[in-house]
Amino acid sequence: MPISKPRRTIAVLAGAACLLAASPATTPPDAGGTPGRAPGTYTNPVSRSFADTYADPAVIRGDDGWWYAYGTSDPLREGEKKPHLLPVSRSRNLTDWTYVGDAFTAATLPKWADTAADAALWAPDIRKVGGEYRLYYVVTQTTVTPERNDSAIGVATAPSPAGPWTDSGAPVVGPRRGGGPDDFKWTFDPAHAVDTDGTQYLVYGSYYGGIHITRLDATGRRAVGEPKMIAVDNRFEGGYLVRRGGYWYLFASSADCCAGPTTGYSVYAGRSRDITGPYVDREGVRLDASRAGGTIVIAPNGNRWVGTGHNAVVTDQAGQDWLLYHAIDRADPYLDEPFGINERPMLIDRLTWTGGWPSVRGGAWASDGPQPAPGRRAPATVAAPPRIGPVDRSRSDEFDGSALRPGWTWVREKQGTLTGGALRWPTQDAELNKETNTASVLLREVPDGDWTAETKLDIDLGTDDVRNFQQAGLIAYAGDDLYTKLVHAAIWNTRQTEFGKEMPYAGRIAYGGTIVGPPAATTWLRLVHRVDRRAGEHELRAATSRDGRTWTYGGVWTLPLDADLKVGLISLGGAGATAEFDYFRLHRR
């Protein structure tokens, strides 16, 4: 398949119920920070002092003045092998963290967790309601049904953020049946919120089933009423609600969380006056639509970090907002063996707000160098969009003749026809995915230095129905197993602009993607290329538009600088649709 359904790999992340017991807290460094670090700064990842991986972080400030963070059940260190059940850490300053212990042990696991089926606990959410602390979490296998994969949401309470934690004894949101036996919708990623009238809600869900919101009873231990979908299935997971300026903001992650060096996991936002939605992005596109909206909060930016997602939001003592999230170092993507557990340490970066919309570091996204630490007022900056230069007519084609202009070459057989001022190219029943490389590719040479490729694309994918995985768009190609592509694609019932990357890794082929802006019946696509000679890489950034004027600039993928890079067009993923390319333009800059 050219695009795999985004999904959390249950077999990889499910852990054995053999955990370390909670240990007494030790004292972390004070605000002076790590030795050798400039005063008042920090450098990601902030979990390095106690964990190599700390995925799906949830954070709260306790009454004792400490910040507490909770992570998904994984081993904390390379080579450790045994997972921790919701590991807990604490910090005075949000950047220097110390391991405290685990929220659960084998003896204190929820009684309804099916340990015989290797139940794991995932994706915690921590809140204080009244006089108690509540920890919500996913139980991946339960005894509620006799079947497998019957995930549910649980809650435990404690008098302090460090515990001890006591499970409530039953799911808050129980397993939700999908189709046949062992088929349940993914009841993952809980997040608690309290509306302005005091009503409690829980957000939960993932790709299989979508993100829902449900009302809770006064105890927070039971869902009541009818849940409502607020973000479309097959696109979002990891929902998190923030109240600001009269709006509720829904933060949600998208794309594959765990594709190693090609993980494109990213965070998007929509907002609503009503906590139950509908949530719309900056362009007014709903997050529960087939052509789903979502304003980018953070995406891979070309530095060491990919897979930047599953967030929490906190406000420091200076009134500044911060995004805590996990990411993957593309040079060290796995905890132990390749294609095993993805190594996802915890990061923190400033969350800025521009025109009522959140973005990490004003659109610069994940940091990999020293940054001003929380608790000190610092000016917010906004990253400028790329500068697009004039069109190079000698390398462009308006497709208004009876044949392609000189300079085009084909990989495999010629496809499509020129008619009506467009290149009409039916989607091929062929692939360009890992070991299956049967699709034709239309390419041309690129100039030295920086450039931007752009096309205007119409493709009859419709909406809502399943059309896996027809797609068309731009490709930066260095070989069948080394490329990036930006396509308008049908992924189950959704229509997405996916920016994917394929590369050889550890004797196999890795593929992953990130999502850019919402597509339309006509969608404009750009690949913005720059040369990073210091890193020895081609950087390619995706951009999409629904009107050819307002552009959404998305994530960055890199390719080796010595790759023989070409750029062009593709139309593949299954027969049944037709791509119409109005033009191909190459801009110099």
Side-chain angles (χ1 to χ4, degrees):
M1 294 183 296
I3 301 176
S4 60
K5 177 181 177 181
R7 60 177 297 157
R8 192 184 297 258
T9 307
I10 295 176
V12 171
L13 293 182
C18 181
L19 284 303
L20 297 177
S23 59
T26 56
T27 303
D30 62 17
T34 303
R37 190 177 72 193
T41 68
Y42 74 95
T43 302
N44 280 319
V46 295
S47 60
R48 68 164 63 83
S49 63
F50 72 95
D52 297 318
T53 192
Y54 206 68
D56 306 333
V59 184
I60 194 170
R61 192 172 191 220
D63 293 336
D64 58 4
W66 291 85
W67 293 97
Y68 289 82
Y70 309 76
T72 270
S73 297
D74 277 324
L76 292 179
R77 291 295 192 188
E78 293 179 355
E80 188 177 15
K81 301 299 183 181
K82 295 182 179 180
H84 295 253
L85 278 182
L86 304 184
V88 185
S89 59
R90 72 176 189 173
S91 171
R92 281 290 189 192
N93 57 16
L94 287 170
T95 60
D96 298 295
W97 294 86
T98 298
Y99 171 67
V100 174
D102 298 336
F104 290 96
T105 69
T108 63
L109 269 171
K111 299 300 184 185
W112 50 277
D114 189 351
T115 56
D118 291 334
L121 305 186
W122 289 350
D125 182 64
I126 179 69
R127 307 288 165 155
K128 186 182 182 188
V129 184
E132 69 179 9
Y133 289 90
R134 295 184 191 162
L135 189 64
Y136 292 89
Y137 40 81
V138 180
V139 178
T140 60
Q141 309 280 350
T142 82
T143 59
V144 177
T145 78
E147 301 171 57
R148 293 186 61 86
N149 306 321
D150 56 345
S151 57
I153 303 297
V155 65
T157 57
S160 83
W165 293 98
T166 303
D167 179 72
S168 68
V172 179
V173 179
R176 301 174 297 143
R177 189 165 294 282
D182 298 325
D183 184 4
F184 292 86
K185 295 180 179 179
W186 293 357
T187 307
F188 298 169
D189 301 345
H192 180 276
V194 180
D195 203 359
T196 53
D197 64 359
T199 304
Q200 297 182 58
Y201 288 89
L202 192 73
V203 171
Y204 62 90
S206 183
Y207 303 123
Y208 185 28
I211 295 180
H212 286 72
I213 188 168
T214 186
R215 190 163 55 87
L216 298 175
D217 68 5
T219 71
R221 292 157 172 77
R222 186 169 64 91
V224 296
E226 188 68 24
K228 179 182 179 183
M229 182 185 286
I230 55 175
V232 68
D233 52 331
N234 298 302
R235 171 64 201 272
F236 294 109
E237 68 172 10
Y240 189 93
L241 288 175
V242 171
R243 178 78 178 171
R244 180 184 172 92
Y247 287 96
W248 282 101
Y249 288 82
L250 174 64
F251 292 71
S253 297
S254 189
D256 194 331
C257 72
C258 308
T262 55
T263 301
Y265 208 49
S266 304
V267 179
Y268 304 80
R271 72 182 187 183
S272 173
R273 294 289 188 184
D274 191 324
I275 195 171
T276 61
Y279 286 87
V280 301
D281 68 6
R282 187 194 296 268
E283 297 181 56
V285 182
R286 291 173 61 137
L287 272 65
D288 60 353
S290 175
R291 294 174 182 154
T295 295
I296 300 173
V297 178
I298 186 171
N301 61 7
N303 65 14
R304 65 187 284 199
W305 300 114
V306 297
T308 51
H310 200 114
N311 70 280
V313 177
V314 297
T315 304
D316 69 14
Q317 293 170 292
Q320 299 171 131
D321 289 339
W322 295 82
L323 197 86
L324 283 97
Y325 59 101
H326 69 237
I328 293 174
D329 183 343
R330 57 190 170 103
D332 183 20
Y334 294 104
L335 190 62
D336 291 306
E337 71 282 356
F339 303 97
I341 295 174
N342 282 238
E343 184 172 313
R344 298 177 288 170
M346 180 172 67
L347 281 65
I348 184 171
D349 277 304
R350 175 88 176 271
L351 184 67
T352 56
W353 298 80
T354 304
W357 290 97
S359 184
V360 171
R361 298 200 304 138
W365 301 337
S367 67
D368 64 353
Q371 298 294 308
R376 296 167 172 82
R377 295 294 297 180
T381 59
V382 177
R387 182 177 61 85
I388 307 302
V391 174
D392 183 343
R393 300 294 178 186
S394 68
R395 300 179 185 267
S396 303
D397 198 333
E398 297 298 313
F399 301 135
D400 52 5
S402 58
L404 295 172
R405 293 193 62 193
W408 291 106
T409 59
W410 286 95
V411 176
R412 289 173 283 275
E413 296 81 11
K414 294 181 179 180
Q415 300 279 331
T417 58
L418 288 175
T419 180
L423 171 60
R424 290 177 50 85
W425 188 352
T427 52
Q428 303 166 75
D429 186 13
E431 306 279 3
L432 192 65
N433 182 249
K434 297 187 177 179
E435 291 79 12
T436 305
N437 297 309
T438 54
S440 296
V441 184
L442 178 60
L443 298 171
R444 64 186 309 117
E445 300 286 341
V446 296
D448 293 333
D450 299 344
W451 47 264
T452 297
E454 180 183 314
T455 193
K456 178 183 176 183
L457 171 67
D458 287 83
I459 186 167
D460 53 341
L461 296 178
T463 58
D464 297 304
D465 58 321
V466 175
R467 298 277 295 274
N468 291 338
F469 287 98
Q470 300 158 351
Q471 60 188 273
L474 293 166
I475 185 167
Y477 177 93
D480 283 344
D481 299 322
L482 185 61
Y483 63 79
T484 66
K485 62 183 174 71
L486 173 61
V487 292
H488 180 177
I491 304 178
W492 297 87
N493 56 304
T494 69
R495 305 297 179 261
Q496 304 182 23
T497 55
E498 182 175 278
F499 184 36
K501 177 181 178 179
E502 185 167 293
M503 61 178 283
Y505 184 82
R508 292 166 60 179
I509 302 170
Y511 178 85
T514 188
I515 312 302
V516 194
T522 300
T523 308
W524 285 255
L525 306 171
R526 278 179 179 168
L527 285 179
V528 182
H529 170 268
R530 66 177 290 270
V531 175
D532 184 350
R533 297 196 183 280
R534 181 180 61 84
E537 292 180 321
H538 298 280
E539 284 191 357
L540 291 132
R541 187 176 189 185
T544 66
S545 175
R546 293 160 55 89
D547 59 11
R549 299 182 301 276
T550 302
W551 289 86
T552 296
Y553 284 91
V556 175
W557 289 122
T558 62
L559 297 173
L561 194 58
D562 60 1
D564 183 14
L565 195 63
K566 297 180 174 62
V567 68
L569 304 172
I570 52 173
S571 178
L572 46 77
T578 299
E580 294 190 13
F581 296 97
D582 186 69
Y583 59 78
F584 172 91
R585 293 173 186 162
L586 194 136
H587 299 253
R588 300 291 298 271
R589 65 185 182 98

